[in-house]
Every structure is written in C-alpha cells, then in structure tokens.
Amino acid sequence: MFDPKTFSFDVDKMTEFFKQNDFSKQLANLKIPGVDTDALVAAQQKNMDALVEANKAAAAGYQDLFRKQIAIFEETMSEARRHLKAFDTAKIDPDAAKAQGDLARAAFEKALANMQALAESAQKANSDAYDIVASRIRESLTELRDMAGKVTKA
C-alpha cells in the first residue's frame, strides 16, 4: 500500500522544478560526437507539441460532450414537465393508459438514442486525441531511426 510518509510526491514542487530548470539549454550545450542534439531537442519539442494538441482535441471533444449532456437534460426535463401538466389522473381509461405507455416507450427509446450519441461523442474525442499521438509516435520513430543512422555513419 502507498504510504505518503515513505514516498512523498508534491506536484507543485515538481512543476516549480521544471519551471526553474530549462533543460533545453542544458541539452543544447551537450555535445556528443555524432549526435545532432539540436535535432534531438527539436524532435522532443514536436513530441510535446503533439501531446498539447492531443489534449486540446480531447478537451474540445469532452466540452462538446458536456454541452450535449446539458442539452439532453434540459430537453428531457422540459418534456417531462409538459407531460406531467397534461396528465389527468381523473381520466384513467384504456386509451389514456395506452397513450401513457406509448409515451413511456418513446421516452425510453429516445434515452437509448441519446446514450448512444453521447458514447459516440466520447469515443470520437478519445479517437481524435489518440490519432494525434499515434501519428507523432510514428514520425518520432522515423526521426530517431534517421538520427541513429547518422550516428553509425560517423
């Protein structure tokens, strides 16, 4: 079991550490024979840019999902209020009962369709973010392979 006394981790301290230390400057001064450190730093910057873009895509997708959920909730509540106002308990006959059953079935089918639409929106948000990262991983592997080829030639 995790014990914070044994291993304390402070996110704020770690964030501050990275803000105070510019590792790109340190890597720029690092000279390894046959290794293009500028290309290595540029590749890592592209990786970070891809992660930022993936997070933006996911955030936009989830904001859209949230807006859809709010719209569905508001529409559902509006319909429920309208149907409750129209419901007259004094007029319970077979036709009214059938109409209420049809209304309940339609509401259930609409709820299922809404759940499917929300699930598809969430899947799209995840897929868009994944596509960005996967594309960058492929590019990064090609860049690393090219860099390694240059090192072996030197």
Side-chain angles (χ1 to χ4, degrees):
M1 183 175 209
F2 177 74
D3 181 9
K5 293 177 186 172
T6 306
F7 179 76
S8 60
F9 178 76
D10 187 343
V11 175
D12 294 328
K13 286 182 183 177
M14 184 169 202
T15 303
E16 190 60 32
F17 173 77
F18 281 105
K19 283 181 183 176
Q20 291 177 0
N21 296 292
D22 187 359
F23 294 104
S24 62
K25 288 180 185 175
Q26 293 172 5
L27 284 175
N29 295 330
L30 180 65
K31 300 296 179 202
I32 301 172
V35 175
D36 184 356
T37 54
D38 291 336
L40 191 59
V41 169
Q44 292 309 311
Q45 182 60 48
K46 289 179 188 177
N47 292 343
M48 294 308 295
D49 292 345
L51 287 175
V52 168
E53 288 304 311
N55 284 327
K56 285 180 183 178
Y62 286 121
Q63 286 175 344
D64 182 52
L65 178 65
F66 181 69
R67 281 191 292 273
K68 287 178 182 177
Q69 286 175 325
I70 294 295
I72 289 169
F73 176 75
E74 289 173 348
E75 180 184 343
T76 301
M77 293 308 294
S78 175
E79 285 183 30
R81 278 192 294 272
R82 185 169 48 86
H83 290 296
L84 285 174
K85 284 181 183 178
F87 185 66
D88 185 5
T89 56
K91 290 184 172 180
I92 297 184
D93 59 23
D95 291 336
K98 182 181 181 313
Q100 288 299 321
D102 291 343
L103 182 65
R105 186 180 64 248
F108 179 73
E109 289 170 355
K110 186 173 183 178
L112 285 177
N114 287 338
M115 288 182 351
Q116 182 176 358
L118 292 174
E120 288 170 359
S121 291
Q123 182 181 10
K124 183 177 180 336
N126 290 334
S127 178
D128 290 349
Y130 174 81
D131 289 345
I132 291 168
V133 173
S135 174
R136 180 57 204 146
I137 288 171
R138 286 189 296 274
E139 292 170 10
S140 184
L141 290 173
T142 300
E143 291 168 358
L144 289 172
R145 185 179 52 234
D146 292 347
M147 280 187 243
K150 290 176 184 176
V151 170
T152 56
K153 290 178 184 176

